Amino acid sequence: MFHKEGYKIISVTLVLFLGINVASYVAIQNNEWQFEVFITTLVFLILILQFFRNPKRKTEVSDNTVVAPVDGKVVVIEEVFEKEHFNDKRLQVSIFMSPINVHVTRHPINGEVVFSKYHPGKYLVAWHPKASEENERTTVVVKNNLIEVLYRQIAGALAKRIVNYAVEGEKVTQGSDSGFIKFGSRVDVYLPLGTKVNVDLNQKVKGGESVIANL
């Protein structure tokens, strides 16, 4: 299964794959060169297909847990001052996504979207200290009776488009589709101080399945 954000790019890539290989078959008489063209274009096609894959995830929906919004590796667990929405100290958990990770963003908790905002910006590498404040990003806050969680999609050096489906006032389900980041990035999750974090630095997590915190 592929994500809808990739349909256009996948279609164009398939057309190019077929067109280039038909042209090479007609124009190039050398079989070895034809094979090299085929392998090169096939590798590119496979990379595009794997990037936009959208595997089904079995989220164990619970009001007592916070699940990872994306696939990737935990690169930050620290106390910070969150100044866009909360204006107080929060526990930040950051997950870095490489180009080979699934790039679907999922809602980490059940609740209502109370804040959703897009910020244009730079394209610093995702692990840069200033990326969360200067890069292109979206900020979403979901609130329920137990917790209010902010998560921020941050573009990286390769990511040139962030897609955000979260709409203020909308009721959302934990693990459901919240957006997509094209070509590598990071997501920061901001939790109340004292929240029990279930992950460690450098631990790999799966979006919609891995429980990153308990309430």
Side-chain angles (χ1 to χ4, degrees), residues 40-176:
T40 300
T41 53
L42 180 62
V43 169
F44 181 73
L45 174 61
I46 291 173
L47 289 174
I48 293 296
L49 292 176
Q50 70 85 29
F51 181 84
F52 287 104
R53 68 195 187 280
N54 186 16
K56 291 183 179 180
R57 294 288 166 81
K58 295 181 179 179
T59 303
E60 294 186 10
V61 178
S62 172
D63 288 336
N64 297 314
T65 62
V66 179
V67 299
V70 291
D71 291 18
K73 183 171 70 173
V74 177
V75 294
V76 172
I77 301 175
E78 65 181 7
E79 183 180 313
V80 299
F81 187 86
E82 198 293 306
K83 60 185 180 181
E84 181 179 0
H85 179 76
F86 295 118
N87 288 309
D88 63 15
K89 289 185 177 181
R90 295 278 152 163
L91 186 61
Q92 176 183 328
V93 178
S94 298
I95 302 169
F96 174 74
M97 294 174 285
S98 74
I100 63 173
N101 286 127
V102 173
H103 278 63
V104 180
T105 307
R106 307 172 197 273
H107 294 291
I109 62 171
N110 293 318
E112 179 182 346
V113 178
V114 296
F115 185 82
S116 181
K117 187 174 182 179
Y118 167 79
H119 301 271
K122 301 177 181 178
Y123 297 99
L124 303 173
V125 289
W127 55 85
H128 193 285
K130 294 185 178 180
S132 61
E133 295 183 355
E134 297 186 7
N135 277 19
E136 179 186 5
R137 61 200 182 278
T138 64
T139 302
V140 176
V141 181
V142 179
K143 182 179 181 179
N144 59 33
N145 293 330
L146 296 177
I147 193 173
E148 189 172 8
V149 173
L150 181 153
Y151 59 100
R152 184 172 289 132
Q153 297 172 298
I154 304 169
L158 295 177
K160 299 302 181 184
R161 187 184 176 200
I162 294 177
V163 182
N164 176 30
Y165 302 141
V167 178
E168 291 183 12
E170 178 185 29
K171 299 288 186 180
V172 297
T173 303
Q174 186 180 46
S176 61

